[in-house]
Amino acid sequence: MLYWLVYEQGDLRTVLIAEASHLLGARLRADIEMPGLDDNFVVGRELNGSLAEGIPEDTIGRMITAAECTKLIERIDPIPKRPPAPSVRRKGTRRPQRISGGSEYLDMAVARMVMM
């Protein structure tokens, strides 16, 4: 099993993906391989089967930067795009312009009325 371990070092957060049979084993392995990390441990989560399959082999067992984490998360667990809200304007739809606000709006409104 793979575990996603988050460590905080000052203002910087890094991630270590460790392979172990349980969370405690992953933390112990990380502490043995990289002494001093255990003091900065924030949270650890097990990566389930579908997420673990998307993890490249070269990222397991090393610290990953925030930029690498973002790319990895987008790769293994993309967020589906939601449809636009009903209030969003679509191409081709026009709202009538308001007349109040300035003389240029009034001139445009008068010009439209004359053209009709």
Side-chain angles (χ1 to χ4, degrees):
M1 287 189 264
L2 292 178
Y3 288 88
W4 183 277
L5 306 174
V6 180
Y7 293 92
E8 191 172 74
Q9 298 168 347
D11 293 339
L12 179 67
R13 281 196 173 186
T14 57
V15 171
L16 172 70
I17 298 175
E19 193 169 8
S21 58
H22 48 81
L23 179 60
L24 183 59
R27 287 188 59 196
L28 287 172
R29 173 178 271 178
D31 195 36
I32 290 170
E33 292 176 4
M34 298 174 200
L37 279 182
D38 198 42
D39 297 338
N40 305 322
F41 180 74
V42 177
V43 67
R45 299 277 184 245
E46 179 184 349
L47 296 174
N48 61 20
S50 62
L51 295 177
E53 290 172 359
I55 303 291
E57 290 293 324
D58 64 335
T59 59
I60 298 173
R62 70 176 179 90
M63 297 302 278
I64 301 172
T65 64
E68 289 176 307
C69 284
T70 302
K71 289 178 185 177
L72 185 60
I73 289 170
E74 289 173 354
R75 178 179 166 192
I76 65 174
D77 192 22
I79 298 172
K81 188 172 181 180
R82 297 186 311 181
S87 62
V88 175
R89 286 182 32 189
R90 307 282 193 273
K91 282 187 177 180
T93 60
R94 294 181 60 190
R95 288 187 178 172
Q97 291 184 344
R98 297 181 183 178
I99 295 176
S100 64
S103 63
E104 60 190 77
Y105 292 111
L106 184 58
D107 293 342
M108 288 172 36
V110 170
R112 284 190 189 145
M113 284 187 233
V114 170
M115 294 177 144
M116 292 181 159

